[in-house]
Amino acid sequence: MIYPATQTNIQKAAQALKQGNVVAFPTETVYGLGANALNAMAVAKIFEIKQRPFFDPLIVHVSSLEMVKYIVSYLPDMALQCIKTFWPGPLTIVLPKKNVIPDIVTAGLDTVAVRMPSHHVAQQLIEHAGVPIAAPSANPFGYLSPTTAYHVEKQLGNKVDIILDGGQSPVGVESTIIKIEKDSVTLLRHGGIPVEDIEAVAGEVSLIRHTQVEAPGQLPYHYAPTTKIVLVKDVSNIPDDSSSGMILYKKSDISFKNIHVMYLSDNGDLRQAAANLFACLHALDAMKLSVIYVEEIPDVGLGQAIMDRLKKAQARHR
Ligand code: TXA
Ligand code: MG
């Protein structure tokens, strides 16, 4: 059930987490499905609810640097620098883990992915629970991530008792994931912090072709709606058909009469586009159309995270 994120309801949700239950909650990126990261049984419920394969490790959410030190065995200077610059916020850092984090959280890896969310509801929830919270996006495995409480309710409502409603997630795409080893930084997933911003702090960031186990978010398809997605450079030639949907990067004066059109942004603001991405896809997917055309986004800054999600959505039907 959806509960507005009042103080009382945040307390109630924190209590549920302490008791080993699962709670859906808002973050600035997307909604998460959380459980006490120190409790393997509680974390197992996340995998069960999401139908998520056990080889796909989870991100652990913290509310303080003390919590990071409790779960991470080594914090390189470079990590501290990134923490200082980007936390709280949509950056996840993969670091060597301590034994307090059970294997189910990390899929047996000796590293743990850590992030300090900036959303005040997420922060208060973690603080009240008093433990780090393991949380993937609150969607069935492979499907679109939720950016509202309603998206969670629609997809997992019968499986999650508490869905805290903190409004629409302002960033709208998942966190950027980097792995830091001594002084080297590797990008594992594009996301809410553009890689250019990280390079300004950390110097050159390398992009390795990872194995499935290293970053299953990099499976060829993911973030996919049920409806077929087709990316197009020039939308002017698309047939104007009422069984199709179309997502445009910005408002334009192309006049379509029948096709269902949605806009990611007013004037081409990438932040606005990212924030609206999943909501547009959810809305058009619910209409059971035969195809959703999506105009390509400039592949720079946040555009890289958006294009990454769109390419993976398209790949499902290839
Ligand atoms: O913005 C976000 O990151 C959202 C919100 C809820 O915080 N969470 C999210 O989680 O996107 P999820 O589970 O959908 O994606 C987590 C990704 C997975 O692709 C996983 O492979 C990667 O993080 N990951 C987790 N632990 C890892 C590790 N130790 N090494 C490498 N990749 C890891
Ligand atoms: Mg996800």
Side-chain angles (χ1 to χ4, degrees), residues 75-135:
L75 208 50
D77 284 346
M78 181 67 86
L80 280 169
Q81 236 169 304
C82 289
I83 286 172
K84 221 171 100 193
T85 314
F86 299 109
W87 281 8
L91 178 71
T92 294
I93 308 178
V94 174
L95 293 160
K97 85 174 186 83
K98 282 189 184 159
N99 287 336
V100 286
I101 294 293
D103 279 344
I104 185 170
V105 173
T106 62
L109 298 174
D110 54 10
T111 53
V112 61
V114 193
R115 151 169 138 77
M116 188 186 291
S118 64
H119 199 294
H120 69 280
V121 174
Q123 283 187 353
Q124 287 178 38
L125 181 66
I126 302 164
E127 248 163 57
H128 286 309
V131 288
I133 302 298

Tab-separated table of all heavy atoms in Angstrom, residues 75-135:
chain	number	residue	atom	x	y	z
A	75	LEU	N	39.234	2.433	2.105
A	75	LEU	CA	38.674	3.620	1.472
A	75	LEU	C	39.809	4.452	0.879
A	75	LEU	O	40.437	5.251	1.565
A	75	LEU	CB	37.940	4.419	2.555
A	75	LEU	CG	36.764	5.312	2.179
A	75	LEU	CD1	35.739	4.615	1.331
A	75	LEU	CD2	36.119	5.858	3.444
A	76	PRO	N	40.112	4.246	-0.412
A	76	PRO	CA	41.222	4.988	-1.027
A	76	PRO	C	40.935	6.501	-1.027
A	76	PRO	O	39.769	6.903	-0.974
A	76	PRO	CB	41.255	4.467	-2.470
A	76	PRO	CG	40.279	3.365	-2.565
A	76	PRO	CD	39.405	3.384	-1.366
A	77	ASP	N	41.999	7.313	-1.105
A	77	ASP	CA	41.839	8.768	-1.143
A	77	ASP	C	40.906	9.203	-2.265
A	77	ASP	O	40.103	10.124	-2.103
A	77	ASP	CB	43.197	9.452	-1.350
A	77	ASP	CG	44.004	9.436	-0.057
A	77	ASP	OD1	43.394	9.149	1.006
A	77	ASP	OD2	45.223	9.684	-0.113
A	78	MET	N	41.049	8.523	-3.405
A	78	MET	CA	40.218	8.878	-4.554
A	78	MET	C	38.732	8.715	-4.223
A	78	MET	O	37.894	9.523	-4.638
A	78	MET	CB	40.585	7.972	-5.734
A	78	MET	CG	39.821	8.252	-6.982
A	78	MET	SD	40.240	9.854	-7.669
A	78	MET	CE	41.686	9.398	-8.644
A	79	ALA	N	38.415	7.676	-3.438
A	79	ALA	CA	37.023	7.449	-3.048
A	79	ALA	C	36.547	8.589	-2.139
A	79	ALA	O	35.450	9.119	-2.312
A	79	ALA	CB	36.880	6.109	-2.342
A	80	LEU	N	37.410	8.967	-1.199
A	80	LEU	CA	37.049	10.064	-0.297
A	80	LEU	C	36.788	11.349	-1.058
A	80	LEU	O	35.865	12.105	-0.759
A	80	LEU	CB	38.163	10.279	0.734
A	80	LEU	CG	38.143	9.283	1.897
A	80	LEU	CD1	39.428	9.382	2.714
A	80	LEU	CD2	36.916	9.523	2.791
A	81	GLN	N	37.607	11.570	-2.081
A	81	GLN	CA	37.442	12.772	-2.894
A	81	GLN	C	36.104	12.761	-3.642
A	81	GLN	O	35.407	13.771	-3.694
A	81	GLN	CB	38.567	12.840	-3.916
A	81	GLN	CG	39.360	14.120	-3.832
A	81	GLN	CD	40.598	13.996	-4.686
A	81	GLN	OE1	41.390	13.069	-4.504
A	81	GLN	NE2	40.747	14.921	-5.625
A	82	CYS	N	35.776	11.602	-4.210
A	82	CYS	CA	34.494	11.480	-4.926
A	82	CYS	C	33.320	11.619	-3.954
A	82	CYS	O	32.308	12.238	-4.267
A	82	CYS	CB	34.409	10.146	-5.663
A	82	CYS	SG	35.509	10.083	-7.088
A	83	ILE	N	33.482	11.049	-2.767
A	83	ILE	CA	32.433	11.145	-1.746
A	83	ILE	C	32.199	12.610	-1.384
A	83	ILE	O	31.070	13.085	-1.315
A	83	ILE	CB	32.824	10.326	-0.488
A	83	ILE	CG1	32.666	8.824	-0.779
A	83	ILE	CG2	32.014	10.745	0.729
A	83	ILE	CD1	33.204	7.910	0.310
A	84	LYS	N	33.314	13.315	-1.184
A	84	LYS	CA	33.220	14.730	-0.797
A	84	LYS	C	32.505	15.548	-1.877
A	84	LYS	O	31.707	16.430	-1.577
A	84	LYS	CB	34.638	15.291	-0.583
A	84	LYS	CG	34.740	16.204	0.615
A	84	LYS	CD	36.180	16.571	0.922
A	84	LYS	CE	36.505	17.947	0.394
A	84	LYS	NZ	37.935	18.250	0.387
A	85	THR	N	32.786	15.226	-3.120
A	85	THR	CA	32.221	16.011	-4.215
A	85	THR	C	30.781	15.617	-4.559
A	85	THR	O	29.955	16.483	-4.828
A	85	THR	CB	33.071	15.835	-5.492
A	85	THR	OG1	34.446	15.961	-5.143
A	85	THR	CG2	32.718	16.871	-6.539
A	86	PHE	N	30.479	14.318	-4.563
A	86	PHE	CA	29.211	13.881	-5.166
A	86	PHE	C	28.172	13.347	-4.188
A	86	PHE	O	27.039	13.088	-4.574
A	86	PHE	CB	29.484	12.826	-6.239
A	86	PHE	CG	30.337	13.326	-7.364
A	86	PHE	CD1	31.652	12.886	-7.509
A	86	PHE	CD2	29.844	14.260	-8.265
A	86	PHE	CE1	32.448	13.352	-8.542
A	86	PHE	CE2	30.623	14.736	-9.302
A	86	PHE	CZ	31.938	14.288	-9.448
A	87	TRP	N	28.544	13.136	-2.934
A	87	TRP	CA	27.566	12.621	-1.961
A	87	TRP	C	27.049	13.732	-1.081
A	87	TRP	O	27.827	14.635	-0.752
A	87	TRP	CB	28.198	11.539	-1.092
A	87	TRP	CG	28.285	10.198	-1.753
A	87	TRP	CD1	28.014	9.892	-3.055
A	87	TRP	CD2	28.685	8.964	-1.129
A	87	TRP	NE1	28.220	8.557	-3.284
A	87	TRP	CE2	28.627	7.959	-2.116
A	87	TRP	CE3	29.075	8.617	0.165
A	87	TRP	CZ2	28.945	6.624	-1.837
A	87	TRP	CZ3	29.398	7.301	0.432
A	87	TRP	CH2	29.333	6.310	-0.563
A	88	PRO	N	25.813	13.668	-0.607
A	88	PRO	CA	24.839	12.686	-1.051
A	88	PRO	C	24.407	12.968	-2.487
A	88	PRO	O	24.334	14.115	-2.884
A	88	PRO	CB	23.661	12.894	-0.075
A	88	PRO	CG	23.803	14.296	0.415
A	88	PRO	CD	25.265	14.627	0.372
A	89	GLY	N	24.128	11.891	-3.253
A	89	GLY	CA	23.733	12.079	-4.642
A	89	GLY	C	23.844	10.806	-5.451
A	89	GLY	O	24.186	9.743	-4.925
A	90	PRO	N	23.558	10.911	-6.768
A	90	PRO	CA	23.422	9.720	-7.605
A	90	PRO	C	24.735	9.107	-8.101
A	90	PRO	O	24.903	8.861	-9.285
A	90	PRO	CB	22.559	10.214	-8.772
A	90	PRO	CG	22.794	11.671	-8.838
A	90	PRO	CD	23.127	12.133	-7.457
A	91	LEU	N	25.665	8.880	-7.180
A	91	LEU	CA	26.901	8.181	-7.525
A	91	LEU	C	27.067	6.965	-6.624
A	91	LEU	O	27.000	7.082	-5.397
A	91	LEU	CB	28.124	9.092	-7.335
A	91	LEU	CG	29.455	8.390	-7.633
A	91	LEU	CD1	29.614	8.123	-9.127
A	91	LEU	CD2	30.646	9.193	-7.113
A	92	THR	N	27.274	5.801	-7.237
A	92	THR	CA	27.533	4.568	-6.484
A	92	THR	C	28.997	4.200	-6.664
A	92	THR	O	29.517	4.246	-7.777
A	92	THR	CB	26.625	3.431	-6.998
A	92	THR	OG1	25.276	3.757	-6.704
A	92	THR	CG2	26.972	2.099	-6.346
A	93	ILE	N	29.654	3.864	-5.548
A	93	ILE	CA	31.075	3.528	-5.602
A	93	ILE	C	31.279	2.077	-5.158
A	93	ILE	O	30.805	1.677	-4.088
A	93	ILE	CB	31.906	4.473	-4.703
A	93	ILE	CG1	31.578	5.940	-5.034
A	93	ILE	CG2	33.396	4.213	-4.881
A	93	ILE	CD1	32.309	6.951	-4.161
A	94	VAL	N	31.960	1.305	-5.988
A	94	VAL	CA	32.247	-0.097	-5.663
A	94	VAL	C	33.604	-0.172	-4.966
A	94	VAL	O	34.612	0.294	-5.499
A	94	VAL	CB	32.236	-0.968	-6.938
A	94	VAL	CG1	32.671	-2.396	-6.644
A	94	VAL	CG2	30.846	-0.953	-7.574
A	95	LEU	N	33.597	-0.728	-3.748
A	95	LEU	CA	34.795	-0.766	-2.896
A	95	LEU	C	34.936	-2.136	-2.229
A	95	LEU	O	33.958	-2.885	-2.145
A	95	LEU	CB	34.659	0.315	-1.808
A	95	LEU	CG	34.697	1.771	-2.310
A	95	LEU	CD1	34.093	2.721	-1.286
A	95	LEU	CD2	36.139	2.165	-2.651
A	96	PRO	N	36.139	-2.453	-1.714
A	96	PRO	CA	36.309	-3.750	-1.039
A	96	PRO	C	35.403	-3.840	0.190
A	96	PRO	O	35.264	-2.870	0.932
A	96	PRO	CB	37.778	-3.724	-0.597
A	96	PRO	CG	38.421	-2.611	-1.334
A	96	PRO	CD	37.370	-1.655	-1.759
A	97	LYS	N	34.783	-4.993	0.392
A	97	LYS	CA	33.797	-5.099	1.471
A	97	LYS	C	34.336	-5.784	2.723
A	97	LYS	O	35.324	-6.510	2.669
A	97	LYS	CB	32.577	-5.850	0.972
A	97	LYS	CG	32.672	-7.377	1.052
A	97	LYS	CD	31.345	-8.007	0.680
A	97	LYS	CE	31.356	-9.508	0.883
A	97	LYS	NZ	31.085	-9.917	2.261
A	98	LYS	N	33.654	-5.505	3.838
A	98	LYS	CA	33.923	-6.242	5.068
A	98	LYS	C	32.953	-7.412	5.185
A	98	LYS	O	31.934	-7.448	4.498
A	98	LYS	CB	33.734	-5.314	6.272
A	98	LYS	CG	34.897	-4.369	6.522
A	98	LYS	CD	34.719	-3.657	7.849
A	98	LYS	CE	35.823	-2.630	8.074
A	98	LYS	NZ	35.413	-1.611	9.063
A	99	ASN	N	33.255	-8.324	6.118
A	99	ASN	CA	32.429	-9.531	6.243
A	99	ASN	C	31.023	-9.303	6.780
A	99	ASN	O	30.170	-10.180	6.661
A	99	ASN	CB	33.134	-10.554	7.141
A	99	ASN	CG	34.302	-11.190	6.413
A	99	ASN	OD1	34.317	-11.218	5.172
A	99	ASN	ND2	35.284	-11.666	7.155
A	100	VAL	N	30.776	-8.125	7.388
A	100	VAL	CA	29.424	-7.867	7.898
A	100	VAL	C	28.387	-7.879	6.775
A	100	VAL	O	27.207	-8.076	7.022
A	100	VAL	CB	29.302	-6.507	8.625
A	100	VAL	CG1	29.969	-6.546	9.970
A	100	VAL	CG2	29.807	-5.361	7.776
A	101	ILE	N	28.836	-7.637	5.544
A	101	ILE	CA	27.907	-7.668	4.405
A	101	ILE	C	27.796	-9.100	3.898
A	101	ILE	O	28.772	-9.685	3.432
A	101	ILE	CB	28.405	-6.749	3.262
A	101	ILE	CG1	28.372	-5.276	3.691
A	101	ILE	CG2	27.579	-6.930	1.994
A	101	ILE	CD1	26.979	-4.714	3.904
A	102	PRO	N	26.603	-9.696	3.997
A	102	PRO	CA	26.454	-11.093	3.570
A	102	PRO	C	26.641	-11.271	2.061
A	102	PRO	O	26.410	-10.336	1.285
A	102	PRO	CB	25.026	-11.459	3.985
A	102	PRO	CG	24.360	-10.212	4.411
A	102	PRO	CD	25.373	-9.139	4.559
A	103	ASP	N	27.032	-12.461	1.664
A	103	ASP	CA	27.312	-12.760	0.251
A	103	ASP	C	26.128	-12.520	-0.670
A	103	ASP	O	26.302	-12.166	-1.833
A	103	ASP	CB	27.744	-14.226	0.101
A	103	ASP	CG	29.210	-14.398	0.443
A	103	ASP	OD1	29.930	-13.371	0.481
A	103	ASP	OD2	29.624	-15.543	0.688
A	104	ILE	N	24.929	-12.702	-0.168
A	104	ILE	CA	23.760	-12.552	-1.038
A	104	ILE	C	23.663	-11.118	-1.575
A	104	ILE	O	23.201	-10.882	-2.680
A	104	ILE	CB	22.456	-12.957	-0.302
A	104	ILE	CG1	21.275	-12.916	-1.265
A	104	ILE	CG2	22.190	-12.078	0.914
A	104	ILE	CD1	19.998	-13.517	-0.714
A	105	VAL	N	24.159	-10.154	-0.798
A	105	VAL	CA	24.104	-8.746	-1.218
A	105	VAL	C	25.034	-8.514	-2.407
A	105	VAL	O	24.693	-7.786	-3.344
A	105	VAL	CB	24.503	-7.822	-0.049
A	105	VAL	CG1	24.626	-6.372	-0.517
A	105	VAL	CG2	23.499	-7.927	1.089
A	106	THR	N	26.199	-9.133	-2.390
A	106	THR	CA	27.235	-8.831	-3.380
A	106	THR	C	27.410	-9.948	-4.414
A	106	THR	O	28.345	-9.906	-5.207
A	106	THR	CB	28.594	-8.617	-2.679
A	106	THR	OG1	28.959	-9.829	-2.019
A	106	THR	CG2	28.516	-7.492	-1.665
A	107	ALA	N	26.510	-10.918	-4.392
A	107	ALA	CA	26.613	-12.074	-5.290
A	107	ALA	C	27.975	-12.753	-5.143
A	107	ALA	O	28.568	-13.204	-6.115
A	107	ALA	CB	26.369	-11.662	-6.746
A	108	GLY	N	28.470	-12.773	-3.916
A	108	GLY	CA	29.730	-13.462	-3.643
A	108	GLY	C	30.975	-12.684	-4.007
A	108	GLY	O	32.095	-13.154	-3.784
A	109	LEU	N	30.823	-11.472	-4.562
A	109	LEU	CA	32.003	-10.660	-4.894
A	109	LEU	C	32.664	-10.168	-3.607
A	109	LEU	O	32.016	-10.081	-2.563
A	109	LEU	CB	31.598	-9.450	-5.746
A	109	LEU	CG	30.968	-9.731	-7.112
A	109	LEU	CD1	30.490	-8.432	-7.755
A	109	LEU	CD2	31.981	-10.421	-8.014
A	110	ASP	N	33.953	-9.811	-3.685
A	110	ASP	CA	34.590	-9.283	-2.482
A	110	ASP	C	34.517	-7.754	-2.433
A	110	ASP	O	35.200	-7.108	-1.652
A	110	ASP	CB	36.034	-9.792	-2.355
A	110	ASP	CG	36.844	-9.498	-3.593
A	110	ASP	OD1	36.340	-8.741	-4.464
A	110	ASP	OD2	37.967	-10.022	-3.707
A	111	THR	N	33.663	-7.191	-3.287
A	111	THR	CA	33.428	-5.743	-3.263
A	111	THR	C	31.957	-5.485	-2.968
A	111	THR	O	31.113	-6.355	-3.160
A	111	THR	CB	33.746	-5.129	-4.638
A	111	THR	OG1	33.014	-5.836	-5.640
A	111	THR	CG2	35.230	-5.186	-4.945
A	112	VAL	N	31.686	-4.257	-2.497
A	112	VAL	CA	30.300	-3.859	-2.262
A	112	VAL	C	30.054	-2.493	-2.922
A	112	VAL	O	30.932	-1.631	-2.912
A	112	VAL	CB	29.976	-3.820	-0.746
A	112	VAL	CG1	30.838	-2.813	0.008
A	112	VAL	CG2	28.499	-3.510	-0.503
A	113	ALA	N	28.879	-2.337	-3.519
A	113	ALA	CA	28.507	-1.069	-4.150
A	113	ALA	C	27.797	-0.207	-3.105
A	113	ALA	O	26.836	-0.655	-2.491
A	113	ALA	CB	27.593	-1.326	-5.342
A	114	VAL	N	28.298	1.029	-2.891
A	114	VAL	CA	27.764	1.879	-1.826
A	114	VAL	C	27.311	3.214	-2.385
A	114	VAL	O	27.972	3.789	-3.255
A	114	VAL	CB	28.836	2.173	-0.748
A	114	VAL	CG1	28.195	2.790	0.496
A	114	VAL	CG2	29.583	0.921	-0.378
A	115	ARG	N	26.202	3.711	-1.839
A	115	ARG	CA	25.734	5.021	-2.277
A	115	ARG	C	25.009	5.717	-1.144
A	115	ARG	O	24.299	5.082	-0.360
A	115	ARG	CB	24.838	4.820	-3.497
A	115	ARG	CG	23.749	5.810	-3.726
A	115	ARG	CD	23.163	5.603	-5.121
A	115	ARG	NE	21.706	5.694	-5.133
A	115	ARG	CZ	21.043	6.844	-5.082
A	115	ARG	NH1	21.696	7.991	-5.010
A	115	ARG	NH2	19.717	6.858	-5.090
A	116	MET	N	25.186	7.057	-1.049
A	116	MET	CA	24.464	7.866	-0.064
A	116	MET	C	23.450	8.725	-0.814
A	116	MET	O	23.815	9.692	-1.473
A	116	MET	CB	25.434	8.758	0.714
A	116	MET	CG	24.771	9.482	1.881
A	116	MET	SD	25.888	10.668	2.693
A	116	MET	CE	27.066	9.581	3.480
A	117	PRO	N	22.165	8.349	-0.751
A	117	PRO	CA	21.159	9.090	-1.523
A	117	PRO	C	20.927	10.487	-0.937
A	117	PRO	O	21.081	10.694	0.264
A	117	PRO	CB	19.900	8.235	-1.388
A	117	PRO	CG	20.108	7.355	-0.219
A	117	PRO	CD	21.583	7.213	-0.016
A	118	SER	N	20.542	11.435	-1.809
A	118	SER	CA	20.290	12.797	-1.329
A	118	SER	C	18.816	13.030	-1.006
A	118	SER	O	18.465	14.032	-0.422
A	118	SER	CB	20.748	13.814	-2.379
A	118	SER	OG	19.982	13.675	-3.553
A	119	HIS	N	17.952	12.101	-1.395
A	119	HIS	CA	16.524	12.295	-1.113
A	119	HIS	C	16.292	12.269	0.398
A	119	HIS	O	16.709	11.331	1.065
A	119	HIS	CB	15.721	11.190	-1.792
A	119	HIS	CG	14.268	11.514	-1.951
A	119	HIS	ND1	13.418	11.663	-0.880
A	119	HIS	CD2	13.516	11.747	-3.052
A	119	HIS	CE1	12.198	11.966	-1.323
A	119	HIS	NE2	12.244	12.021	-2.650
A	120	HIS	N	15.592	13.300	0.913
A	120	HIS	CA	15.473	13.392	2.371
A	120	HIS	C	14.696	12.219	2.968
A	120	HIS	O	14.972	11.809	4.093
A	120	HIS	CB	14.886	14.738	2.797
A	120	HIS	CG	13.448	14.906	2.418
A	120	HIS	ND1	13.057	15.267	1.146
A	120	HIS	CD2	12.314	14.738	3.131
A	120	HIS	CE1	11.726	15.316	1.100
A	120	HIS	NE2	11.265	15.009	2.290
A	121	VAL	N	13.742	11.668	2.222
A	121	VAL	CA	12.989	10.527	2.756
A	121	VAL	C	13.908	9.301	2.884
A	121	VAL	O	13.904	8.611	3.905
A	121	VAL	CB	11.771	10.188	1.869
A	121	VAL	CG1	11.086	8.919	2.359
A	121	VAL	CG2	10.791	11.350	1.850
A	122	ALA	N	14.729	9.071	1.862
A	122	ALA	CA	15.666	7.944	1.905
A	122	ALA	C	16.641	8.126	3.072
A	122	ALA	O	16.902	7.198	3.842
A	122	ALA	CB	16.419	7.837	0.580
A	123	GLN	N	17.163	9.354	3.208
A	123	GLN	CA	18.118	9.614	4.290
A	123	GLN	C	17.512	9.353	5.667
A	123	GLN	O	18.114	8.692	6.511
A	123	GLN	CB	18.579	11.070	4.230
A	123	GLN	CG	19.600	11.310	3.141
A	123	GLN	CD	20.176	12.718	3.197
A	123	GLN	OE1	19.713	13.555	3.981
A	123	GLN	NE2	21.162	12.987	2.371
A	124	GLN	N	16.296	9.872	5.862
A	124	GLN	CA	15.653	9.701	7.175
A	124	GLN	C	15.322	8.237	7.437
A	124	GLN	O	15.465	7.749	8.559
A	124	GLN	CB	14.373	10.523	7.242
A	124	GLN	CG	14.650	12.007	7.367
A	124	GLN	CD	13.353	12.805	7.373
A	124	GLN	OE1	12.352	12.388	7.937
A	124	GLN	NE2	13.371	13.943	6.717
A	125	LEU	N	14.907	7.544	6.390
A	125	LEU	CA	14.561	6.127	6.543
A	125	LEU	C	15.791	5.328	6.999
A	125	LEU	O	15.716	4.514	7.925
A	125	LEU	CB	14.032	5.588	5.214
A	125	LEU	CG	13.611	4.129	5.201
A	125	LEU	CD1	12.391	3.901	6.099
A	125	LEU	CD2	13.300	3.667	3.774
A	126	ILE	N	16.933	5.578	6.353
A	126	ILE	CA	18.151	4.845	6.713
A	126	ILE	C	18.587	5.207	8.134
A	126	ILE	O	18.937	4.343	8.931
A	126	ILE	CB	19.301	5.150	5.723
A	126	ILE	CG1	18.896	4.798	4.284
A	126	ILE	CG2	20.567	4.377	6.104
A	126	ILE	CD1	19.788	5.404	3.211
A	127	GLU	N	18.513	6.511	8.444
A	127	GLU	CA	18.901	6.955	9.782
A	127	GLU	C	18.053	6.291	10.861
A	127	GLU	O	18.575	5.787	11.856
A	127	GLU	CB	18.727	8.466	9.891
A	127	GLU	CG	20.052	9.198	10.014
A	127	GLU	CD	19.864	10.669	9.705
A	127	GLU	OE1	19.028	11.304	10.381
A	127	GLU	OE2	20.527	11.157	8.763
A	128	HIS	N	16.744	6.297	10.661
A	128	HIS	CA	15.847	5.702	11.657
A	128	HIS	C	16.044	4.196	11.752
A	128	HIS	O	15.955	3.619	12.829
A	128	HIS	CB	14.386	6.010	11.331
A	128	HIS	CG	13.997	7.427	11.611
A	128	HIS	ND1	14.238	8.054	12.827
A	128	HIS	CD2	13.401	8.368	10.837
A	128	HIS	CE1	13.795	9.295	12.784
A	128	HIS	NE2	13.291	9.525	11.568
A	129	ALA	N	16.293	3.562	10.616
A	129	ALA	CA	16.507	2.107	10.648
A	129	ALA	C	17.829	1.800	11.360
A	129	ALA	O	17.981	0.766	11.990
A	129	ALA	CB	16.507	1.537	9.235
A	130	GLY	N	18.798	2.711	11.225
A	130	GLY	CA	20.077	2.552	11.923
A	130	GLY	C	21.001	1.524	11.298
A	130	GLY	O	22.032	1.167	11.867
A	131	VAL	N	20.631	1.020	10.132
A	131	VAL	CA	21.464	0.037	9.424
A	131	VAL	C	21.547	0.423	7.952
A	131	VAL	O	20.664	1.101	7.430
A	131	VAL	CB	20.869	-1.395	9.512
A	131	VAL	CG1	21.036	-1.961	10.910
A	131	VAL	CG2	19.412	-1.424	9.075
A	132	PRO	N	22.614	-0.003	7.250
A	132	PRO	CA	22.669	0.233	5.807
A	132	PRO	C	21.552	-0.554	5.114
A	132	PRO	O	21.193	-1.639	5.562
A	132	PRO	CB	24.047	-0.292	5.400
A	132	PRO	CG	24.510	-1.158	6.522
A	132	PRO	CD	23.808	-0.703	7.757
A	133	ILE	N	21.024	0.012	4.044
A	133	ILE	CA	19.871	-0.588	3.356
A	133	ILE	C	20.257	-1.032	1.946
A	133	ILE	O	20.631	-0.214	1.110
A	133	ILE	CB	18.707	0.431	3.270
A	133	ILE	CG1	18.279	0.912	4.665
A	133	ILE	CG2	17.522	-0.169	2.514
A	133	ILE	CD1	17.741	-0.178	5.569
A	134	ALA	N	20.164	-2.342	1.695
A	134	ALA	CA	20.390	-2.860	0.342
A	134	ALA	C	19.130	-2.604	-0.466
A	134	ALA	O	18.030	-2.897	-0.002
A	134	ALA	CB	20.669	-4.358	0.390
A	135	ALA	N	19.290	-2.012	-1.654
A	135	ALA	CA	18.095	-1.718	-2.450
A	135	ALA	C	18.391	-1.650	-3.940
A	135	ALA	O	19.176	-0.821	-4.380
A	135	ALA	CB	17.460	-0.405	-2.004
